[in-house]
Amino acid sequence: MISKFSTSYAITHRGAVRQLNEDAHVEINNHNLWVVADGMGGHEAGEVASQLVVDVIRAKVEELPFEKLEVSHIVEAIEDANRQLNEYSAQYLGSKTAGSTVTALFLKNNKYYVLWVGDSRAYMLRDGQLKQISRDHSQVNDLIDEGIISVEEAKTHPLSNVITRAVGVTADVKVDVIQNEVKTGDIFLLCSDGLTGELSDEDICLSLEPSSIIDSGMALMHSSLVRGARDNVTCILIKYDEGYAGHKSETFNIQDEATIPLFSK
């Protein structure tokens, strides 16, 4: 077992427009794993999709002791959630599809692993510099790569909400994974696009300046709400410190309601 200490803080809000909060998240601190999911497919389908994703991941991970848990097990859990969502859609939704994005952080053996499908993001703040680790699986990102539009144009593009990959939408799902060394003081942010739809990377970096991740989380949520929060907003902040054993987490749901996601992008 690695002798590391991670502090995490999760916060969620339905936003200023949505009637329900259809984002889901889970903190599995004993296994150094944190997950955010954003459902899609309409009201009931979205709620089922994101909650199923986090539930399947939790169940799979908690079957194993931390010492035996590998990133491949998390990938398998996401693939299993994809299969279960396809079965659910076929059995209960007819022509509709229940799908979800997912982004996850796993810490082990002095490394971080970021896994994702869709446009929920993972960031890392190191030495005052903010870096987006994940890469959105979205139509506008493909257009940027092809040189058709600029990054600035992508922000207001009519296809900005169209994602190209999600859990539960196709028979098979490809999970992207990035790994690298983790350092003392690194702060990770996992978030749904309700946050990044309102705040720029510069705004996010400014909100992460407080030494307390609780203060940073509240600042992120406040900033997104005052800017209109057109979608559900969920984020998890994780701070990594070397030389301690154990984990501490805090969760705050502003509505004091179950955090269940949506799949209508």
Side-chain angles (χ1 to χ4, degrees):
M1 180 116 175
I2 56 174
S3 58
K4 306 297 177 189
F5 181 79
S6 58
T7 304
S8 66
Y9 175 71
I11 186 168
T12 187
H13 195 286
R14 70 171 179 261
V17 176
R18 305 275 189 182
Q19 294 301 307
L20 295 174
N21 186 349
E22 296 178 312
D23 287 348
H25 69 274
V26 66
E27 300 170 273
I28 314 173
N29 295 79
N30 290 335
H31 289 72
N32 278 356
L33 178 65
W34 299 266
V35 184
V36 167
D38 178 1
M40 39 201 259
H43 174 211
E44 293 180 5
E47 287 185 300
V48 169
S50 56
Q51 195 63 54
L52 184 147
V53 168
V54 299
D55 288 347
V56 169
I57 293 173
R58 180 198 280 275
K60 176 79 172 180
V61 165
E62 292 183 341
E63 288 176 355
L64 299 167
F66 175 73
E67 293 82 359
K68 293 187 177 180
L69 182 64
E70 302 294 340
V71 70
S72 60
H73 296 123
I74 306 168
V75 172
E76 288 171 6
I78 296 172
E79 292 172 342
D80 188 32
N82 185 74
R83 178 186 59 77
Q84 291 191 39
L85 278 176
N86 274 286
E87 291 175 355
Y88 178 86
S89 295
Q91 186 170 356
Y92 297 107
L93 300 182
S95 60
K96 291 184 180 179
T97 298
S100 179
T101 70
V102 65
T103 184
L105 171 71
F106 177 50
L107 300 174
K108 190 172 186 180
N109 297 333
N110 301 313
K111 291 186 186 244
Y112 71 78
Y113 301 84
V114 169
L115 308 86
W116 78 99
V117 179
D119 62 354
S120 292
R121 292 182 180 178
Y123 289 89
M124 178 178 67
L125 182 72
R126 174 178 289 173
D127 300 326
Q129 300 296 313
L130 184 70
K131 176 184 178 182
Q132 182 181 338
I133 302 173
S134 61
R135 181 188 177 280
D136 297 355
H137 297 136
S138 66
Q139 195 90 69
V140 292
N141 249 4
D142 291 346
L143 294 174
I144 291 170
D145 289 346
E146 293 167 10
I148 297 173
I149 62 173
S150 67
V151 174
E152 281 302 312
E153 289 172 326
K155 294 176 182 177
T156 56
H157 197 278
L159 296 177
S160 61
N161 288 330
V162 178
I163 59 175
T164 56
R165 200 184 302 180
V167 182
V169 174
T170 55
D172 299 303
V173 64
K174 183 179 186 303
V175 182
D176 282 352
V177 181
I178 285 179
Q179 70 174 67
N180 214 323
E181 298 295 319
V182 64
K183 295 183 179 181
T184 297
D186 285 349
I187 295 175
F188 297 89
L189 167 66
L190 307 181
C191 60
S192 60
D193 68 341
L195 182 77
T196 54
E198 305 299 342
L199 304 183
S200 67
D201 286 3
E202 293 75 16
D203 296 326
I204 292 172
C205 190
L206 189 63
S207 294
L208 296 181
E209 283 185 357
S211 57
S212 163
I213 60 170
I214 296 177
D215 290 343
S216 294
M218 295 294 285
L220 287 169
M221 185 60 70
H222 175 75
S223 296
S224 63
L225 289 172
V226 298
R227 297 188 186 197
R230 292 159 291 178
D231 201 351
N232 306 146
V233 182
T234 298
C235 58
I236 304 177
L237 287 162
I238 305 100
K239 186 172 184 179
Y240 177 85
D241 286 307
E242 189 174 9
Y244 297 90
H247 310 276
K248 182 170 69 174
S249 69
E250 306 235 11
T251 302
F252 186 57
N253 185 339
I254 291 180
Q255 279 82 232
D256 192 27
E257 62 190 11
T259 53
I260 344 175
L262 160 79
F263 200 68
S264 46
K265 288 292 181 186

